[in-house]
């Protein structure tokens, strides 16, 4: 009766006094593309000077000097020899510093700017542009060498990924802009990379080649894509106006802290965390995302709640070592996005299933895919360990604001969801029927609480057909959003 009375007054909730109108601190927007920090105007003591008037001077002097050398690039446009593979191959500990106005230009001829396996290379105050890396390859740190530091750089208007990542890489205060596929692709061909820092960067207008359209379902785009990264801090970045997702962690990532970022106006989701583990997502400002992709699916009649923060087969797992044993999403502000947070688990996607689009990859609990087969997969421990599970997700003290007149929608842009599909495939799967939908909804410790909702929010549970109002979402059998409030009149 108390809930009904609250609904009648336009504000519904339980334990309303506990739901403080929390507002995440706005991140200081990293406008580094427009206002880059200038490099040294004169050569530092002991540095080797690189002359832009001499074609190939940078690559030649890198070859002729020992490791640990500092190179200072004079103002002007520097060029490599006009062959596809004439990239600079640094030596261990080399440092490359750009003077104000120093640009390394691939002139749509060179595929890569900096490659090789040397570790602990530093790149500062340099613009790198006009390179034509192939699909899934990168221009700077092409070979994902370890320990690179990229600071106050502009990596822009290249094909492929502007930047690759290796172990212990630091990317700070840099502009990753207008690259054909990714701003950065955090991927190593062998093993998992760890201890990655992405801080204070502007990541804007990437995926200019629109790879999801050219290769539908490729999962090969984002402002930044992370693959099998074990330990990453992504903080204080401005991730905006990318075609597709802003940030996308895909396949056995673990131990992420995504905090203090501004994620806005990306065509797709602000953040996708997919078949991955253990993360803290806090104090981010997330606004006006997913308008293009969300509307596209709605217009074709798709009932799936495509969200701005999308967790797909991802959750907390205490057996995988990290700084947290859950996925915690708190003190964020989400404003005028196409829908909110969706927790999803595909019942047919598991290790060794033909429906696993990350083919050949198994969970971090079962390293060998062929173990996930009958009869073992039907019983413990493989029944649990062969699945990437959306579990132990704690969503609290966030503010969700929606004005449908701003978003320009009337339906399907107003949803918060926890759901799965009906398991059907393959025929030997032990997860057929509603088993996974029941588990993700009721048994895997996924919980919303103490949030503030402003606007006409709806809620989806178990499967796409179950669209709930706030009272149903809070009531039996879902019991979600204890201590939360809803004002449906504000925000459209």
């Amino acid at each position: 009766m108390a809930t009904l009375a609250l609904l009648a007054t336009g504000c519904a909730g339980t334990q309303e006094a506990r739901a403080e109108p929390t507002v995440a601190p706005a991140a200081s927007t990293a406008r580094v593309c427009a206002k880059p920090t200038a490099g040294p105007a004169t050569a530092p003591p002991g540095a080797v000077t690189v002359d832009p008037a001499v074609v190939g001077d940078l690559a030649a002097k890198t070859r002729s000097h020992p490791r640990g050398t500092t190179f200072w690039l004079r103002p002007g446009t520097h060029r490599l020899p006009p062959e596809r593979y004439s990239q600079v191959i640094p030596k261990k500990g080399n440092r490359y510093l750009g003077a104000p106005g120093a640009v390394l230009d691939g002139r749509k001829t060179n595929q890569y700017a900096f490659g090789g396996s040397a570790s602990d290379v530093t790149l500062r105050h340099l613009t790198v542009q006009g390179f034509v890396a192939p699909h899934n390859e990168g221009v700077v740190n092409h070979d994902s060498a370890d320990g690179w530091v990229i600071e106050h750089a502009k990596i822009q208007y290249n094909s492929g990924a502007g930047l690759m990542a290796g172990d212990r890489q630091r990317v700070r205060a840099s502009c990753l802009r207008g690259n054909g596929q990714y701003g950065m692709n955090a991927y190593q061909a062998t093993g998992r990379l760890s201890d990655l820092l992405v801080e204070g960067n502007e990541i804007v207008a990437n995926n200019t080649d629109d790879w999801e359209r050219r290769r539908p379902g490729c999962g090969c785009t984002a402002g930044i894509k992370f693959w099998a990264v074990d330990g990453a801090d992504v903080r204080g970045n401005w991730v905006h106006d990318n075609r597709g997702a802003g940030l996308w962690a895909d396949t056995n990532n673990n131990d992420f802290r995504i905090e203090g970022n501004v994620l806005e106006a990306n065509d797709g989701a602000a953040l996708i965390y997919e078949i991955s583990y253990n993360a803290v997502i806090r104090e981010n400002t997330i606004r006006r995302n997913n308008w293009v992709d969300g509307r596209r699916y709605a217009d074709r009649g798709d009932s799936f709640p495509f969200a701005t923060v999308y967790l797909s087969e991802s959750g907390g797992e205490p057996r995988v070592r990290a700084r947290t044993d859950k996925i915690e999403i708190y003190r964020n502000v989400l404003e005028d996005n196409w829908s909110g947070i969706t927790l999803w688990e595909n019942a047919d996607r598991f290790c060794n299933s033909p429906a696993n689009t990350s083919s050949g990859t198994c969970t971090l609990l079962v390293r060998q895919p062929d173990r996930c087969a009958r009869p073992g997969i039907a019983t413990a421990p493989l029944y649990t360990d062969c699945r990437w599970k959306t579990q132990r997700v704690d969503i609290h003290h966030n503010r969700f604001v929606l004005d449908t007149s701003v978003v320009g929608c009337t339906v399907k842009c107003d949803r918060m969801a926890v759901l799965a599909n009906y398991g059907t495939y393959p025929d030997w799967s032990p997860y057929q029927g509603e088993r996974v939908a029941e588990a993700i909804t009721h048994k895997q410790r996924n919980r919303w609480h103490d949030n503030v909702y402003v606007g006409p929010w709806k809620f989806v549970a178990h499967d796409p057909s179950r669209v709930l109002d706030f009272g149903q979402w809070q009531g039996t059998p879902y019991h979600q959003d204890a201590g939360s409030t809803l004002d449906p009149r504000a925000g459209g």
Side-chain angles (χ1 to χ4, degrees):
M1 290 297 292
T3 299
L4 288 173
L6 286 166
L7 279 168
T9 63
C11 184
T14 59
Q15 302 176 353
E16 183 176 350
R18 290 173 48 203
E20 299 176 2
T22 55
V23 179
S28 56
T29 305
R31 299 181 181 274
V32 294
C33 291
K35 299 179 180 179
T37 301
T42 58
V48 173
T49 297
V50 181
D51 187 351
V54 179
V55 174
D57 198 37
L58 179 60
K61 285 178 175 173
T62 295
R63 287 192 298 270
S64 63
H65 285 80
R67 68 182 190 175
T69 298
T70 296
F71 300 89
W72 177 72
L73 285 74
R74 288 182 180 274
T77 300
H78 296 255
R79 294 164 293 167
L80 300 175
E83 290 87 33
R84 294 168 61 193
Y85 303 115
S86 57
Q87 64 266 25
V88 180
I89 306 296
K91 297 171 183 174
K92 180 180 172 63
N94 280 3
R95 300 170 72 238
Y96 297 89
L97 309 179
V103 176
L104 180 61
D105 197 324
R107 297 171 296 156
K108 302 298 181 183
T109 299
N110 309 114
Q111 289 194 347
Y112 319 117
F114 294 89
S117 60
S119 63
D120 305 319
V121 172
T122 297
L123 184 73
R124 289 192 177 105
H125 306 291
L126 183 62
T127 295
V128 180
Q129 65 186 33
F131 288 81
V132 286
H135 182 251
N136 288 336
E137 297 188 44
V139 170
V140 173
N141 196 12
H142 169 263
D143 298 290
S144 301
D146 295 338
W148 282 42
V149 175
I150 293 91
E151 293 179 329
H152 307 293
K154 280 187 177 182
I155 303 174
Q156 61 184 13
Y157 312 134
N158 304 286
S159 299
L163 173 64
M164 301 295 284
D167 207 50
R168 299 179 289 105
Q169 183 154 299
R170 302 287 181 261
V171 185
R172 298 188 184 96
S174 293
C175 170
L176 308 180
R177 173 170 60 184
N179 295 289
Q181 188 177 1
Y182 305 109
M184 183 173 78
N185 188 15
Y187 170 79
Q188 279 189 321
T190 57
R192 302 171 69 210
L193 67 93
S194 62
D195 189 20
L196 176 63
L197 175 65
V198 182
E199 182 177 28
N201 305 284
E202 184 174 353
I203 300 137
V204 54
N206 294 289
N207 187 27
T208 58
D209 292 335
D210 199 4
W211 279 102
E212 295 290 345
R213 179 185 57 80
R214 296 170 66 177
R215 299 187 182 182
C218 72
C220 60
T221 59
I224 299 181
K225 191 80 184 275
F226 305 88
W227 310 83
V229 176
D230 188 17
D233 291 297
V234 183
R235 61 185 181 230
N237 303 284
W238 186 21
V239 184
H240 66 102
D241 294 284
N242 294 284
R243 177 176 283 156
L247 303 174
W248 189 345
D250 186 356
T251 310
N252 285 342
N253 296 279
N254 174 53
D255 195 14
F256 271 53
R257 288 189 176 177
I258 301 170
E259 54 191 357
N261 303 284
V262 174
L263 310 174
E264 67 178 327
N266 297 290
D267 285 0
L271 170 64
I272 302 174
Y273 206 71
E274 182 176 0
I275 59 170
S276 293
Y277 301 87
N278 302 324
V280 172
I281 302 165
R282 64 186 176 191
E283 298 180 349
N284 300 286
T285 300
I286 303 172
R287 57 197 179 206
R288 301 190 302 277
N289 295 281
N290 203 30
W291 288 13
V292 174
D293 289 358
R295 182 171 285 105
R296 179 185 300 126
Y297 287 107
D299 287 349
R300 73 186 192 190
D302 199 315
S303 63
F304 188 84
F306 288 94
T308 286
V309 176
Y310 180 34
L311 272 60
S312 177
E313 297 88 29
S314 292
E317 176 50 74
R319 292 173 292 172
V320 177
R321 185 175 179 180
R323 291 167 288 182
T324 181
D325 61 1
K326 58 185 176 180
I327 293 182
E328 190 171 13
I329 304 173
Y330 68 99
R331 290 190 61 81
N332 303 283
V333 171
L334 285 82
E335 182 175 0
D336 293 331
N337 301 284
W338 190 283
S339 286
I341 298 174
T342 288
L343 309 187
W344 161 254
E345 195 169 327
N346 182 345
D348 300 329
R349 186 181 192 183
F350 54 91
C351 182
N352 206 33
S353 167
N356 176 25
T357 53
S358 297
S359 57
T361 301
C362 207
T363 70
L364 294 181
L365 301 173
V366 181
R367 299 290 185 170
Q368 299 161 322
D370 58 2
R371 293 184 59 205
C372 296
R374 289 282 188 173
I377 194 173
T379 58
L382 292 179
Y383 180 84
T384 294
D385 293 352
C386 289
R387 289 197 65 81
W388 291 274
K389 296 172 71 175
T390 303
Q391 64 178 5
R392 300 173 61 86
V393 181
D394 190 6
I395 302 167
H396 64 93
H397 292 96
N398 303 284
R399 183 175 179 85
F400 302 103
V401 179
L402 175 64
D403 185 335
T404 55
S405 68
V406 172
V407 180
C409 68
T410 56
V411 293
K412 297 183 181 178
C413 65
D414 53 2
R415 294 175 294 177
M416 205 74 57
V418 53
L419 76 165
N421 59 323
Y422 190 91
T424 61
Y425 181 78
D427 58 9
W428 53 268
S429 168
Y431 312 111
Q432 294 188 10
E434 296 185 350
R435 291 178 178 86
V436 175
E438 287 292 313
I440 189 175
T441 306
H442 301 296
K443 301 174 183 178
Q444 292 180 182
R445 298 176 63 182
N446 297 315
R447 184 172 173 240
W448 280 256
H449 62 96
D450 297 294
N451 299 295
V452 171
Y453 296 91
V454 180
W457 288 95
K458 296 183 177 65
F459 303 85
V460 180
H462 189 275
D463 63 77
S465 69
R466 298 191 190 182
V467 181
L468 314 172
D469 63 29
F470 195 48
Q472 293 169 320
W473 174 247
Q474 288 188 310
T476 303
Y478 306 107
H479 301 294
Q480 290 291 359
D481 264 316
S484 298
T485 62
L486 168 70
D487 184 350
R489 298 172 300 174

